[in-house]
């Protein structure tokens, strides 16, 4: 059961604002509407979202049992681009999932964490005025997915047959995320250890499709793709590993 004072007690750095909702439209949207001061961070958590959103305005399935949180910082506190904040969110989520022994985890740049090739969590970083918001959705104690995502999604419950503690999950992710955002070199290390470096991929961006070999990532977290003819930098897209 989510409990605000328990989450708060587990946080290494205390947020200036911390709210827990039974149900919101979107924690990212909620965070975008609340002001914070310099050097502060805010945490919004929900048990359920009615309009959870993912990249490219996709829906994020957000029933009870999942965990939905957004961490907001003042943009001036961030020394690096939004892309790296999403990577920090992914690294923090993967770190938690490893700590509870979820196997076959894989980060699919830029926004997904997969377990056994199925999506178990997603990250959406957005700018709202002078804030940067990293929203993380975790399919924690979800035992049923609707038919349109049944073959692409999984949950911690499905992988372990155990109900996980959402307070522990939330605090672990936030603690790790805040450490990483102060150590960008650790985020780059995480990126450079992703399993698809050197692999042949297809990547679909909002306006183009590319095929090539992943050369690596630059210091802003952009993917460097070698198409055979040129090297291009990709900001975001849907990635499919071919071989
Ligand atoms: C994606 O896979 O495209 C990213 C999904 C991000 C979902 C999280 S849930 C918490 C936060 N609030 C939202 O509306 N979206 C993010």
């Amino acid at each position: 059961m989510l409990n605000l004072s328990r989450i708060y007690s587990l946080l290494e750095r205390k947020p200036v604002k911390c709210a827990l909702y039974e149900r919101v439209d979107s924690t990212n949207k909620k965070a975008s509407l609340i002001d914070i001061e310099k050097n502060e961070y805010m945490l919004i958590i929900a048990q359920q979202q009615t309009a959870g959103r993912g990249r490219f305005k996709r829906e994020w399935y957000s029933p009870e049992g999942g965990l939905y949180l957004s961490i907001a910082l003042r943009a001036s506190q961030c020394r690096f681009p939004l892309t790296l904040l999403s990577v920090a969110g992914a690294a923090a989520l993967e770190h938690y999932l490893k700590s509870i022994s979820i196997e076959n985890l894989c980060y699919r740049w830029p926004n997904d964490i997969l377990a056994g090739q199925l999506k178990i969590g997603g990250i959406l970083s957005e700018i709202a005025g002078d804030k940067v918001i990293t929203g993380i959705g975790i399919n924690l104690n979800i035992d049923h997915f609707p038919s349109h995502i049944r073959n692409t999604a999984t949950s911690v419950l499905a992988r372990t047959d155990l109900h996980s503690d959402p307070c522990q999950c939330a605090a672990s992710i936030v603690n790790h995320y805040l450490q990483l955002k102060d150590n960008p070199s650790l985020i780059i290390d995480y990126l450079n250890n992703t399993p698809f470096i050197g692999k042949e991929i297809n990547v679909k961006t909002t306006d183009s499709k590319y095929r090539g070999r992943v050369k690596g990532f630059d210091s802003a977290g952009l993917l460097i793709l070698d198409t055979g003819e040129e090297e291009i930098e990709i900001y975001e897209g849907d990635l499919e590993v071919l071989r």
Side-chain angles (χ1 to χ4, degrees), residues 176-205:
H176 201 73
Y177 173 88
L178 292 174
Q179 280 170 20
L180 289 172
K181 75 118 181 115
D182 288 337
N183 290 288
S185 64
L186 296 180
I187 307 177
I188 302 287
D189 285 353
Y190 175 75
L191 263 180
N192 284 319
N193 280 306
T194 49
F196 46 84
I197 290 198
K199 296 260 166 71
E200 185 86 14
I201 61 160
N202 276 335
V203 55
K204 199 164 137 209
T205 64

Side-chain angles (χ1 to χ4, degrees), residues 26-28 49 52-55 60 69 112 119 122-123 135-137:
S26 149
T27 55
N28 269 25
Q49 296 184 121
R53 58 195 192 210
R55 285 185 309 141
W60 180 257
L69 63 89
D112 303 334
K119 194 150 163 169
I123 301 98
I136 304 176

Side-chain angles (χ1 to χ4, degrees), residues 24-30 44 46 49 51-62 67-71 108 111-113 119 121-126 133-138 236 238:
V24 284
D25 47 3
S26 149
T27 55
N28 269 25
K29 181 158 179 220
K30 199 91 192 162
I44 305 287
Q49 296 184 121
R53 58 195 192 210
R55 285 185 309 141
F56 306 127
K57 301 204 172 92
R58 291 174 189 147
E59 177 209 359
W60 180 257
Y61 179 61
S62 309
L67 176 62
Y68 316 98
L69 63 89
S70 296
I71 307 161
R108 184 170 63 190
N111 295 71
D112 303 334
I113 293 289
K119 194 150 163 169
I123 301 98
L124 178 68
S125 289
E126 299 180 290
I133 299 166
T134 300
I136 304 176
I138 308 110
E236 73 166 339
D238 284 332

